[in-house]
Amino acid sequence: MRRLFASAGIGNAGTEGASFDLAGKPVGECGAPGALAPMRASTMAGRRTTGRSGFVFAAAMGLALAACSEGGAPRTEGGSASYTIAMVTHETPGDVFWDKIRAGAEQAAKDTGTVLRYASDPNAGEQAKLIRNAIDSRVDGIATTMATPDALRGVMRDAVGAGIPLVAFNAGIEQYRDAGALMYFGSDETLAGVAAGERIAADGGINPLCVIQQTGSVALEARCAGVKSKVPGTRNIQVNGANNAEVTATLQAALSTDPSIDYVVTLGAQQAHAAMMSKEWAGSDARVITFDLDPDVAELIRDGRIEFSIDQQPYVQGYMAVTALYLNLRNGNDIGGGQAVLTGPSFVDRENIDRILPFARNNTR
C-alpha cells in the first residue's frame, strides 16, 4: 500500500514546518533532537571507513525562512511563505528503517519551516507515479530514493524540465547525476560491502550468505557484490522482505541444508532478527552481521549476539535531503562540491555501542 500525496492545501498559510501524509493530514512531531549538535554527536560516534568523497555536513541548519522561490507551489499573500518539498521513497510497509528517514526529514522541515509531503511505494512503477504526482502538484522541490533507477530516470528528468530542483538519497549513488539530481545523500554501498567483507575475511569467514530482501535494488546488490569481492565464497539468497515469517523460513532452510555457511549477512535490521531466529531453529553456528540498526539490533550487538552493523545513518539522509533542498531554494546552495555526500558506511560494534545505543532507542540512529 503506498502513501499518497494530498491533493489540496499545498503551501497554505500556517503549515510551515508541518508534515503531511494521507489526505493531507498532519502527522505528529517525531520528537527527534533539532539542529545539528545532537545529530553530529551521534554521527561522529561510529568508526568510519574512508570513501572517495568523505563525509560532508552543512553547518547552516537554522536559517530563518524568508523570501519565496520562483515558480513551484502558489504562495499566500501577506503571511509568511514556505516551500513545499515532496519526499518519495521505495519504503516497504512495516519496515521501521524508514521511520528514521522520515524522522530526519520531519525534523528538517520543522527546523527550516518547510512543508513536507511524504509518499512511498516499493513498486518501481508506482514510485514513478508518485514523483509525477509531485510534479503535477507544483511542489518546490523533490527528494527521492533511486533503488530502481531505470524506472525513475524519465520522470526525474521531467521534474528537472519543469524547473523543480531534485535531490536523490539512500539509493542511486551511481545514477543520480544522469537523472538530473543536483545532490545525493547516502552511503557508498559498494564501499560498505567491501568494508564488511574485509572484516568477515579477517575473522576467518569463507562462506557467507548475503540476504537480499528486495528484487532489483541496486543498493542491496552493490552491498553483496562488495562482500563477495573480499570473500569469494559469498552467495546471495533472495527473500521477500515484506514478509518476515517467510524470510525466517527461507533462511532456516538454507542454514539447515548447508552447514558450511559461516556468516549470514543481512541488509536490513528486520532481516537480522529473522536471521537470529533462523540460526537458532536450524542449530547453526553461523555468525550474523547486518546493515542498518534498530534498538533491538543495537541491544544484540551490545550482548555480542550480532557481530556488528554497517550503519548508513538514515536519519541524516532524511534530514540532509530536505535541508539541502531548502538551502538550494532559499540561498542557491549546492552541497557536496558536485560529489555524493556520504552518510556511511559507519561501523557499530561492541567498542562503540554504548555511545550509540541511546540514539538508536531515540529513533535517530
Side-chain angles (χ1 to χ4, degrees):
M1 179 183 295
R2 62 182 178 178
R3 295 181 178 175
L4 303 173
F5 289 104
S7 59
I10 297 176
N12 290 344
T15 58
E16 291 84 352
S19 300
F20 292 85
D21 201 335
L22 294 169
K25 296 178 181 179
V27 299
E29 295 180 3
C30 67
L36 187 61
M39 180 180 73
R40 181 178 292 160
S42 69
T43 60
M44 294 298 288
R47 292 191 291 110
R48 300 188 181 96
T49 58
T50 302
R52 61 179 175 228
S53 48
F55 288 77
V56 182
F57 292 97
M61 298 301 172
L63 294 178
L65 186 66
C68 307
S69 68
E70 294 290 332
R75 298 287 188 265
T76 57
E77 296 296 331
S80 62
S82 65
Y83 300 112
T84 297
I85 292 174
M87 176 170 280
V88 183
T89 76
H90 61 283
E91 173 184 348
T92 298
D95 188 343
V96 297
F97 169 85
W98 297 97
D99 294 345
K100 298 178 185 181
I101 293 273
R102 190 164 180 176
E106 288 172 357
Q107 186 64 51
K110 179 180 178 182
D111 290 350
T112 59
T114 59
V115 176
L116 175 68
R117 295 189 177 275
Y118 182 93
S120 64
D121 198 297
N123 179 277
E126 295 302 314
Q127 186 184 358
K129 289 179 182 178
L130 292 174
I131 297 173
R132 174 67 61 193
N133 291 348
I135 297 170
D136 294 343
S137 296
R138 300 177 61 216
V139 298
D140 295 295
I142 297 174
T144 186
T145 60
M146 293 184 66
T148 50
D150 290 343
L152 304 181
R153 187 177 293 107
V155 71
M156 290 175 67
R157 289 175 177 172
D158 289 345
V160 175
I164 300 174
L166 185 76
V167 303
F169 69 100
N170 179 258
I173 192 171
E174 301 292 344
Q175 298 86 10
Y176 76 96
R177 293 187 191 88
D178 184 53
L182 297 171
M183 293 168 266
Y184 180 86
F185 302 94
S187 182
D188 183 326
E189 302 299 359
T190 299
L191 175 64
V194 168
E198 288 175 341
R199 289 189 66 156
I200 292 171
D203 288 339
I206 55 175
N207 289 314
L209 183 68
C210 197
V211 186
I212 298 178
Q213 72 265 25
Q214 185 174 14
T215 303
S217 170
V218 292
L220 301 184
E221 291 171 356
R223 290 174 177 178
C224 288
V227 174
K228 188 175 180 65
S229 72
K230 295 300 179 180
V231 190
T234 302
R235 68 181 179 91
N236 298 349
I237 186 169
Q238 191 79 45
V239 297
N240 177 12
N243 187 331
N244 224 39
E246 184 178 319
V247 174
T248 303
T250 301
L251 294 182
Q252 181 184 356
L255 292 169
S256 296
T257 57
D258 186 357
S260 73
I261 296 171
D262 50 11
Y263 273 85
V264 179
V265 181
T266 62
L267 307 184
Q270 289 191 197
Q271 289 72 45
H273 297 303
M276 293 299 295
M277 191 175 298
S278 302
K279 170 184 169 180
E280 180 179 350
W281 290 352
S284 171
D285 293 327
R287 298 179 180 181
V288 175
I289 72 163
T290 189
F291 286 71
D292 304 332
L293 276 175
D294 66 18
D296 292 332
V297 165
E299 298 275 3
L300 289 167
I301 292 172
R302 183 194 62 184
D303 296 342
R305 297 178 63 196
I306 290 180
E307 302 295 309
F308 60 86
S309 168
I310 305 96
D311 185 21
Q312 60 178 302
Q313 303 182 124
Y315 180 90
V316 179
Q317 294 175 11
Y319 191 96
M320 290 301 298
V322 171
T323 303
L325 280 170
Y326 168 77
L327 290 173
N328 181 266
L329 290 162
R330 176 70 181 85
N331 202 48
N333 294 111
D334 180 1
I335 300 171
Q339 300 296 315
V341 179
L342 297 186
T343 64
S346 176
F347 281 107
V348 179
D349 55 25
R350 294 189 74 181
E351 293 184 13
N352 57 18
I353 189 60
D354 289 338
R355 172 68 172 148
I356 292 173
L357 184 56
F359 301 112
R361 290 170 174 161
N362 197 44
N363 200 39
T364 59
R365 189 67 193 267

